[in-house]
Amino acid sequence: MEWTKRLSSSDRSNGSGFPTAKTATADIFGADFVAMNITFSGYQDTLCANKGHQFYRECEIYGTVDFIFGDAKAVFQNSIIFARTPLNGKQNTITAQSRNSPTDIGGYVFHNCTIRAAPNLQGWVKTYFGRPWRTYSRVVIMQSDIHPLIDPKGWMNWDVTKLVHNLYYAEYDNRGAGADTSRRVGWCKLLHTKAEANQFTVRNFIKGNNWIPTQIPYFQDLM
């Protein structure tokens, strides 16, 4: 297993001259990265799942704005995603995935995860699954427990000038008060069959059977 990471614990920001990826609490890029039972704790731009195939199992990830971002081909499984209270006037966006063309392999899948409020989250904060950092952003939430913090729209655009027809934001077989899809944005894809969702499993999306160590427990397929 090859992997590279950078950790930071300072006040770096894009506004102070650093590239966005350099401001992350954890910036992970490389081939066949596995994280298990690790807590990634920050606010904006917590975890840069940047490049390569990545698998996260039973992790906890805390943040506010775009706190899981980058263009790795990654599956998050049996993990807990905690939304914190952002700065005044800001909303929470869990993901800012950066797939930039239809041929890019990147994308994030959340399988059997829990998406919930951190203990300090204030009730007035709008929280969304994600917004597109790049034109072909791809995120799938499936068979996960969604708490009621998620705004009924589910997803938001980066700004009003960006096209949304190239995005792939999808939901499948989720549960919990925040899983109601009746008021989702019109460009959210609702997957209705296992055949549609099957392409996003560990086995198929990241070919995990070929490289995830045998001592790491995981669901190869849909539950």
Side-chain angles (χ1 to χ4, degrees):
M1 177 174 64
E2 298 179 7
W3 60 279
T4 307
K5 67 178 180 179
R6 288 192 295 268
L7 298 176
S8 63
S9 57
S10 61
D11 58 354
R12 290 182 177 182
S13 69
N14 184 260
S16 62
F18 290 91
T20 299
K22 305 295 186 185
T23 69
T25 304
D27 176 13
I28 299 170
F29 57 99
D32 305 343
F33 172 83
V34 175
M36 184 173 177
N37 293 325
I38 295 177
T39 296
F40 301 89
S41 193
Y43 288 87
Q44 183 165 348
D45 298 341
T46 301
L47 172 61
C48 185
N50 201 343
K51 298 294 180 183
H53 291 78
Q54 300 184 14
F55 180 62
Y56 298 80
R57 172 79 182 194
E58 296 173 20
C59 292
E60 294 185 358
I61 306 169
Y62 291 78
T64 56
V65 179
D66 306 337
F67 64 96
I68 303 173
F69 68 109
D71 193 30
K73 196 171 191 180
V75 175
F76 301 81
Q77 196 176 85
N78 283 38
S79 294
I80 307 177
I81 313 302
F82 288 99
R84 291 176 136 168
T85 300
L87 297 174
N88 286 339
K90 298 289 187 178
Q91 72 286 314
N92 287 331
T93 43
I94 294 170
T95 65
Q97 206 280 326
S98 60
R99 183 169 174 252
N100 204 34
S101 81
T103 59
D104 285 352
I105 66 168
Y108 296 158
V109 176
F110 296 83
H111 183 204
N112 199 43
C113 289
T114 298
I115 297 175
R116 62 177 302 161
N120 74 333
L121 183 67
Q122 304 298 317
W124 53 264
V125 178
K126 288 189 174 183
T127 299
Y128 301 87
F129 290 128
R131 60 177 182 161
W133 190 9
R134 297 290 184 264
T135 307
Y136 287 83
S137 181
R138 177 166 57 178
V139 181
V140 179
I141 315 288
M142 62 184 192
Q143 295 186 326
S144 292
D145 185 19
I146 314 299
H147 287 222
L149 80 157
I150 293 296
D151 187 87
K153 292 180 181 179
W155 310 83
M156 66 176 294
N157 201 358
W158 193 273
D159 62 58
V160 295
T161 66
K162 280 200 172 181
L163 300 176
V164 295
H165 64 272
N166 290 324
L167 304 177
Y168 194 98
Y169 285 164
E171 300 175 48
Y172 173 72
D173 193 27
N174 294 308
R175 56 194 181 272
D180 180 1
T181 59
S182 62
R183 295 164 59 191
R184 292 292 193 255
V185 292
W187 32 274
C188 170
K189 294 173 173 53
L190 303 179
L191 309 181
H192 298 289
T193 68
K194 282 192 173 183
E196 291 177 292
N198 193 53
Q199 62 185 305
F200 300 109
T201 62
V202 167
R203 182 197 300 271
N204 294 324
F205 190 61
I206 58 173
K207 310 299 182 189
N209 291 23
N210 297 332
W211 58 270
I212 296 176
T214 56
Q215 67 268 30
I216 302 293
Y218 63 94
F219 301 122
Q220 300 179 39
D221 299 306
L222 296 170
M223 297 165 56

